[in-house]
Amino acid sequence: MPAVGGIGPANGKAYPGNLTPFVTITCIVAAMGGLIFGYDIGISGGVTSMDSFLKKFFPSVYDKQHADTSTNQYCKFDSQTLTMFTSSLYLAALLASLVASSVTRIFGRRLSMLVGGILFCIGAIINGFAEAVWMLIVGRMLLGFGIGFANQSVPLYLSEMAPYKYRGALNIGFQLSITIGILVANVLNYFFSKIKGGWGWRLSLGGAVVPALIITVGSLFLTDTPNSMIERGQLEGAKKKLIKIRGVENVDEEYDDLVAASEASKKVEHPWRNLLQAKYRPHLTMAILIPFFQQLTGINVIMFYAPVLFKTIGFGSDASLMSAVITGLVNVLATLVSIYGVDKWGRRFLFLEGGLQMLICQIAVAAFIGAKFGVDGEPGELPKWYAVVVVLFICIYVSGFAWSWGPLGWLVPSEIFPLEIRSAAQSINVSVNMIFTFLIAQVFLTMLCHLKFGLFLFFAFWVLVMSIFIYFFLPETKGVPIEEMAIVWKNHWYWGKYIPDDALPHVANGNLEMGYGVKSV
Ligand code: BGC
């Protein structure tokens, strides 16, 4: 387990408690909620490059691809119908996450996970047996609803459950599951696409029932978080739970702080409207900008379209699916690095290092593709070393994302909101994430066609902007208990002015602790 860095007893709160087997297992099970999201991200790109799938559901796309004799590689796959299939899910997820906000707050985090698992399961079955496009779309909408519920509740669950010193590592279990889901899906696509008779896509799409069952059954065994139990008035149960989770008898201090946070949260009747108050300005800004920036790294261009992209660069169809497997593997392994480092080196370091790494790689990929394909998209003969170098840079880029914006895009929003707005703000995080995932999925092929290699420079520009933003505006949150986060904002050079003194946890008893939070700049 990662060593604990940052704030110790001398300059902040240090609740007693261990990384108990109970909390570890609970968090592993909950984190598996990420599998459904990851499986879907990985499966869609591969399935839409299978000829048998296209012939059955999107014959015009298939015909166009095969009739296209132009050698302009940038525009070969530009089809709105096909991208609509991939991206429809994200609109459904967006809507579901808004509904999930109330379910998560009123009925607990666990119920949202259960609902998510069940909806996803039904969607997967419909897709596996699909005979017509409408079945595909209905199935994908159900998958989207499932993801909306899971992504809204799982990160909150993990951040509340974890002892604060290990919160980063345990929360990133969610992103690890996402990456494992993507990898497994890529590998399965590779093999299923080879099935004679061309029905392998049914296994790819139907296979989603497996991760769906894991989270559905898993959530039946999970217990709710003490924070959520207190929020729902189950005080006695919450205390017992906290003792069990932390593995120590003396949980009074943490318990009292949870109750205090819950009292404060009870005064808030309209979490959505409240989000507009000035004192939540930093939180609202992060709930919108972090997922927006995460998608503007361009990662899903690789995740959804790696096979198509690699085909464009000149790989055969088999080799391009294979390269998607390689990037998938890099994605998983690099996520482990952030599990190791996030509570040690902190969030800001990972954000900034990962950003720099992505920036360099995007410029390099743009230069390589630009040099060979030019503006007319006609590469001529491509040497093998060339493709290898491009894949190498894409892998370094993916690893940069996988230890920065990937996991932190879910971790940071789940740990910075006060309890009273946590569920609503997390829904905003998920919705913004989904809408930009949708937009990128929807416009990527058109953008490639028009911007050509400049597309990579477009994303490079955004990575630069987001890194500057993090440098100036995101305070470090490692090692700070979740219900104490107000102090971090109060200490920030810019956001401090928005946080009223009575929002601070200990001001009431004259015990204001200002030890948290490094002044960022
Ligand atoms: C993002 C996804 C992305 C995945 C890649 C997640 O954190 O939200 O959009 O596809 O990481 O690993």
Side-chain angles (χ1 to χ4, degrees):
M1 268 300 140
V4 182
I7 293 127
N11 53 355
K13 281 245 154 159
Y15 303 131
N18 307 314
L19 190 62
T20 57
F22 180 79
V23 86
T24 311
I25 293 170
T26 305
C27 287
I28 291 176
V29 173
M32 286 187 186
L35 285 177
I36 56 177
F37 183 38
Y39 187 87
D40 188 82
I41 294 169
I43 222 72
S44 327
V47 165
T48 48
S49 66
M50 289 184 195
D51 281 350
S52 55
F53 177 81
L54 287 181
K55 252 196 247 169
K56 184 168 172 73
F57 295 107
F58 303 96
S60 59
V61 177
Y62 177 81
D63 291 345
K64 183 173 168 243
Q65 267 181 25
H66 284 78
D68 188 3
T69 47
S70 108
T71 42
N72 183 344
Q73 296 288 340
Y74 291 128
C75 299
K76 245 190 148 68
F77 292 93
D78 185 7
S79 152
Q80 290 295 320
T81 339
L82 193 57
T83 43
M84 196 62 211
F85 164 78
T86 307
S87 50
S88 61
L89 175 148
Y90 295 95
L91 289 183
L94 186 165
L95 291 178
S97 71
L98 299 177
V99 179
S101 160
S102 308
V103 178
T104 302
R105 189 166 47 91
I106 301 168
F107 299 103
R109 283 72 173 124
R110 190 185 141 230
L111 194 79
S112 284
M113 291 186 223
L114 182 64
V115 173
I118 295 173
L119 292 173
F120 198 87
C121 204
I122 306 172
I125 295 171
I126 297 181
N127 270 352
F129 288 104
E131 282 303 334
V133 174
W134 71 264
M135 288 180 80
L136 282 183
I137 303 287
V138 170
R140 274 191 82 70
M141 288 179 75
L142 285 166
L143 297 183
F145 290 147
I147 290 174
F149 271 89
N151 285 19
Q152 202 274 346
S153 50
V154 173
L156 292 190
Y157 182 93
L158 293 169
S159 283
E160 290 182 345
M161 215 48 167
Y164 68 95
K165 298 179 215 163
Y166 303 107
R167 189 176 60 240
L170 288 175
N171 182 290
I172 295 178
F174 177 65
Q175 174 73 11
L176 184 66
S177 297
I178 297 178
T179 60
I180 292 175
I182 297 175
L183 175 64
V184 169
N186 283 343
V187 173
L188 291 180
N189 269 340
Y190 180 72
F191 288 108
F192 291 160
S193 67
K194 293 182 185 309
I195 291 182
K196 297 240 157 41
W199 51 274
W201 62 267
R202 286 195 188 280
L203 292 179
S204 294
L205 295 182
V209 289
V210 177
L213 285 177
I214 293 179
I215 185 63
T216 307
V217 176
S219 62
L220 289 175
F221 290 99
L222 290 176
T223 116
D224 234 317
T225 64
N227 317 45
S228 170
M229 290 171 80
I230 293 172
E231 195 180 23
R232 289 176 292 132
Q234 304 165 14
L235 297 181
E236 268 303 296
K239 187 153 193 182
K240 288 205 191 97
K241 192 60 34 77
L242 198 59
I243 292 174
K244 184 160 179 205
I245 298 171
R246 300 285 176 254
V248 290
E249 285 297 323
N250 175 18
V251 294
D252 291 352
E253 196 181 4
E254 181 171 8
Y255 176 80
D256 291 344
D257 287 347
L258 292 185
V259 173
S262 165
E263 292 299 314
S265 114
K266 290 232 170 62
K267 297 195 194 112
V268 176
E269 277 174 31
H270 305 285
W272 291 102
R273 203 181 313 150
N274 268 281
L275 273 171
L276 296 175
Q277 292 177 4
K279 63 175 172 177
Y280 298 127
R281 201 54 45 82
H283 313 92
L284 187 61
T285 309
M286 296 299 160
I288 294 172
L289 285 185
I290 290 183
F292 166 77
F293 285 146
Q294 191 204 49
Q295 289 309 314
L296 265 284
T297 57
I299 187 67
N300 281 324
V301 161
I302 309 292
M303 293 302 139
F304 296 148
Y305 297 111
V308 170
L309 194 70
F310 288 131
K311 248 189 206 174
T312 305
I313 303 174
F315 288 79
S317 135
D318 216 31
S320 41
L321 268 183
M322 195 58 211
S323 328
V325 173
I326 295 174
T327 48
L329 197 63
V330 169
N331 198 11
V332 174
L333 294 178
T335 306
L336 295 175
V337 174
S338 82
I339 291 189
Y340 174 79
V342 69
D343 294 312
K344 232 184 199 172
W345 310 320
R347 284 67 164 147
R348 283 170 52 83
F349 172 78
L350 287 174
F351 265 128
L352 295 174
E353 193 287 332
L356 183 65
Q357 194 170 318
M358 287 192 283
L359 183 68
I360 294 172
C361 292
Q362 279 160 329
I363 294 173
V365 169
F368 270 97
I369 297 191
K372 273 287 170 193
F373 288 75
V375 277
D376 54 7
E378 314 222 352
E381 214 28 52
L382 284 172
K384 202 171 175 89
W385 67 263
Y386 168 84
V388 171
V389 170
V390 172
V391 172
L392 193 74
F393 273 110
I394 289 184
C395 285
I396 303 175
Y397 160 82
V398 168
S399 62
F401 175 87
W403 60 57
S404 62
W405 281 90
L408 301 177
W410 295 104
L411 165 65
V412 171
S414 77
E415 65 182 11
I416 57 172
F417 307 132
L419 186 61
E420 66 269 20
I421 55 158
R422 190 170 298 150
S423 194
Q426 173 68 356
S427 296
I428 293 189
N429 174 40
V430 178
S431 311
V432 174
N433 197 305
M434 293 301 145
I435 192 128
F436 284 97
T437 308
F438 166 80
L439 287 176
I440 293 204
Q442 195 65 28
V443 303
F444 161 66
L445 292 174
T446 314
M447 280 173 84
L448 181 66
C449 185
H450 293 287
L451 290 181
K452 309 182 165 74
F453 61 89
L455 180 61
F456 296 93
L457 297 178
F458 169 81
F459 289 123
F461 166 77
W462 281 107
V463 169
L464 184 64
V465 171
M466 65 188 79
S467 301
I468 295 174
F469 174 82
I470 293 291
Y471 183 78
F472 286 106
F473 294 105
L474 187 82
E476 182 57 64
T477 49
K478 92 171 169 191
V480 182
I482 190 165
E483 309 301 357
E484 305 272 307
M485 222 39 101
I487 302 173
V488 169
W489 294 110
K490 186 72 188 168
N491 281 355
H492 189 267
W493 71 274
Y494 179 76
W495 299 119
K497 60 177 180 278
Y498 289 99
I499 310 293
D501 285 345
D502 64 6
L504 297 169
H506 305 295
V507 90
N509 52 16
N511 179 23
L512 177 60
E513 292 166 51
M514 298 292 282
Y516 297 123
V518 193
K519 291 239 190 269
S520 326
V521 185

